[in-house]
Amino acid sequence: MGCAGFIGASGFLLYSTTVRDPLYAMLAMAMASFSNDLVMPGLAAAMDVGGKYRHAVRAMNSWGNLAAAAPW
């Protein structure tokens, strides 16, 4: 779900830079925001499962995202 959300968000943002009509550009940016919001339930579920260790789960998620974004 997270991968689909981020791919959709990046696709809609790229589309919004190429379209000439301001209405379609704004709709594309709105869809990018919606696609980005699809990623949030995954983080919330991890926080619920983590229980009293939710801060460690959040740190693990942050470091995992940073490592994925690093240009190795």
Side-chain angles (χ1 to χ4, degrees):
M1 191 68 172
C3 210
F6 284 138
I7 289 172
S10 62
F12 281 119
L13 278 178
L14 286 174
Y15 175 70
S16 72
T17 62
T18 61
V19 70
R20 297 225 182 248
D21 188 8
L23 175 65
Y24 289 132
M26 287 303 296
L27 289 174
M29 286 189 278
M31 287 304 296
S33 178
F34 172 75
S35 296
N36 199 26
D37 287 343
L38 291 176
V39 179
M40 292 301 139
L43 179 60
M47 300 291 258
D48 287 342
V49 170
K52 72 177 188 174
Y53 300 108
R54 65 186 175 273
H55 300 294
V57 172
R58 184 164 175 93
M60 174 197 64
N61 188 24
S62 297
W63 284 107
N65 287 334
L66 183 64
W72 300 102

